[in-house]
Amino acid sequence: MELISALPEDVARDCLIRISYQHFPVVSSVSKAWNTEIQSPEFRRRRTTANQTQKILVAVQSRVDSDEKRRTGLLVKAATNPVYQLSVLEPKTGNWSELPPAPELPNGLPMFCRIAGVGYDLVVIGGWDPDSWKASNSVFIYNFLSATWRRGADMPGGPRTFFACVSDNHHTVYVAGGHDDEKNALKSVLAYDVSRDAWTALPDMSRERDECKGIFRGGVLRVVGGYCTEMQGRFERTAEEFDSATCKWGPVEEEFLDVATCPRTCVDGGDDELYICCDGDVLILKGDTWQTVVKVPEEIRNVSYMEAREGALLLIGSGGFGQPHMSFLFDLKSSNWAKLASPENYSGHVQFGCSLEI
């Protein structure tokens, strides 16, 4: 059966790789041939080679009570406890949208859940039940091709919170550190193979790391910062690396960060560069030295999320408690800031986020 009537197969495939990710579910329902085509690994390879993939940000973001915001000027959540949704930002167009809720989570995402992208899948791990505040080890997976949810295998080892969570973008999500139900910081590390729906325990880190940050580059998992049980919120400057090929940890870098700070904004900038926000500044790591790049705009001085992409930095934050969250792009070549439009429904607090190329 022809993919598109009267068109050569190579031309038809060239047409299909240009569709927007938002149209994947519709396209897959047109015919078995189209569904088979977009589900194939070759479709993703062609789409990537032709530079037709779309880079998006998915954020765990609180919903906003619009009526209350108009009365008070502050962001008030839709219920006594914050209700979180999965918001999608396309930085290239500035468009925002919302992913459908998982059938098992009709009242919102677990608080402090972590997310990571693997191919066309978005993996949602752990968090607190929004009503009971009980920690969970659940896994939910949203597939962008079919716009459907499925349940994944529970994270082993019992519930953990505030762990590092990062993907290799192809097969695996890594979970490191965090704390258990007794507030004990953890040094254990897990790997989740999304296609196999299977968890593997990896060698422990050298020390406990609560509220640490994970960065994955070139087969190496780097876990930055965090703190041990006894420190309780007093962050360390250290980092350590796990080589996925040898399955071994390297020595601890004792003075990796310039200052002891929360590492949530530490991100991979490519070309052996890292970025982080600290005390109102964006810093870059060059060699062994952190250097100031630019000051953060006052409107987003409290940065909750940052990522580096295509010669620019995307930052999301607010001017203070209860203030709307806004998005800014910083062009690394021109050193100019550009404010992105943030519809009122997408101005809630961003608790966590990840980027996907689909």
Side-chain angles (χ1 to χ4, degrees):
M1 179 180 177
E2 296 178 328
L3 285 174
I4 300 178
S5 180
L7 282 182
E9 293 295 270
D10 58 338
V11 176
R13 290 191 172 97
D14 201 41
C15 293
L16 288 178
I17 64 172
R18 284 164 166 73
I19 62 175
S20 168
Y21 77 92
Q22 293 175 318
H23 298 147
F24 283 161
V26 175
V27 168
S28 64
S29 66
V30 169
S31 67
K32 289 184 178 179
W34 282 24
N35 181 55
T36 300
E37 179 63 25
I38 70 170
Q39 294 278 354
S40 70
E42 187 64 15
F43 174 79
R44 183 173 176 82
R45 187 196 66 77
R46 277 198 218 85
R47 191 171 164 88
T48 302
T49 302
N51 198 29
Q52 294 299 318
T53 56
Q54 293 166 273
K55 296 181 179 178
I56 62 173
L57 158 69
V58 181
V60 178
Q61 184 176 46
S62 63
R63 291 183 182 145
V64 176
D65 186 327
S66 300
D67 292 336
E68 186 66 20
K69 180 177 182 294
R70 292 189 190 99
R71 288 194 297 269
T72 65
L74 297 176
L75 295 181
V76 179
K77 307 306 182 296
T80 303
N81 295 334
V83 177
Y84 285 89
Q85 64 188 18
L86 287 171
S87 301
V88 180
L89 169 63
E90 300 174 39
K92 193 171 184 179
T93 64
N95 293 333
W96 285 87
S97 58
E98 181 182 348
L99 293 182
E104 294 182 56
L105 301 172
N107 298 320
L109 295 169
M111 294 176 63
F112 309 116
C113 67
R114 296 295 186 245
I115 60 175
V118 177
Y120 291 119
D121 286 326
L122 176 74
V123 185
V124 181
I125 304 177
W128 295 355
D129 182 278
D131 294 321
S132 68
W133 286 30
K134 183 179 179 181
S136 169
N137 60 351
S138 62
V139 175
F140 297 91
I141 304 165
Y142 178 80
N143 181 263
F144 280 90
L145 290 177
S146 62
T148 58
W149 286 92
R150 68 182 187 271
R151 186 70 187 262
D154 286 349
M155 179 170 53
R160 71 167 76 197
T161 314
F162 293 107
F163 48 85
C165 181
V166 66
S167 162
D168 66 0
N169 295 320
H170 300 293
H171 308 286
T172 306
V173 177
Y174 294 91
V175 166
H179 67 248
D180 63 17
D181 277 347
E182 302 300 321
K183 305 298 182 184
N184 296 309
L186 303 169
K187 58 182 178 179
S188 56
V189 183
L190 303 167
Y192 177 58
D193 187 309
V194 180
S195 61
R196 292 176 51 238
D197 190 28
W199 288 90
T200 302
L202 300 179
D204 287 352
M205 296 180 287
S206 67
R207 59 186 65 180
E208 302 166 345
R209 294 185 183 274
D210 199 359
E211 293 195 56
C212 51
K213 178 64 184 287
I215 298 169
F216 192 91
R217 178 204 291 166
V220 174
L221 168 67
R222 174 179 273 158
V223 184
V224 180
Y227 50 85
C228 64
T229 304
E230 290 73 22
M231 295 295 284
Q232 284 301 313
R234 287 175 287 172
F235 287 94
E236 298 184 12
R237 297 168 56 191
T238 65
E240 51 189 304
E241 292 185 347
F242 175 78
D243 189 321
S244 62
T246 62
C247 205
K248 292 182 179 179
W249 288 95
V252 174
E253 300 173 75
E254 293 291 347
E255 299 182 352
F256 177 75
L257 294 175
D258 209 28
V259 295
T261 186
C262 177
R264 70 173 176 271
T265 60
C266 191
V267 297
D268 180 14
D271 298 324
D272 294 324
E273 295 176 341
L274 293 177
Y275 292 92
I276 194 171
C277 289
C278 184
D279 295 329
D281 293 323
V282 176
L283 308 179
I284 184 173
L285 180 63
K286 290 192 173 182
D288 297 324
T289 305
W290 288 96
Q291 304 173 21
T292 300
V293 177
V294 66
K295 279 205 165 297
V296 176
E298 287 295 325
E299 293 167 281
I300 56 166
R301 186 174 177 83
N302 295 327
V303 179
S304 61
Y305 180 82
M306 180 169 74
E307 69 175 47
R309 52 167 65 217
E310 298 177 340
L313 299 176
L314 170 66
L315 282 74
I316 301 178
S318 68
F321 176 77
Q323 298 299 316
H325 274 54
M326 306 175 190
S327 308
F328 279 75
L329 275 176
F330 179 71
D331 190 301
L332 291 167
K333 291 184 179 179
S334 67
S335 296
N336 291 326
W337 288 100
K339 183 178 180 180
L340 303 181
S342 296
E344 187 175 341
N345 290 345
Y346 298 98
S347 60
H349 173 251
V350 171
Q351 201 166 73
F352 198 79
C354 71
S355 60
L356 289 86
E357 185 170 354
I358 56 180

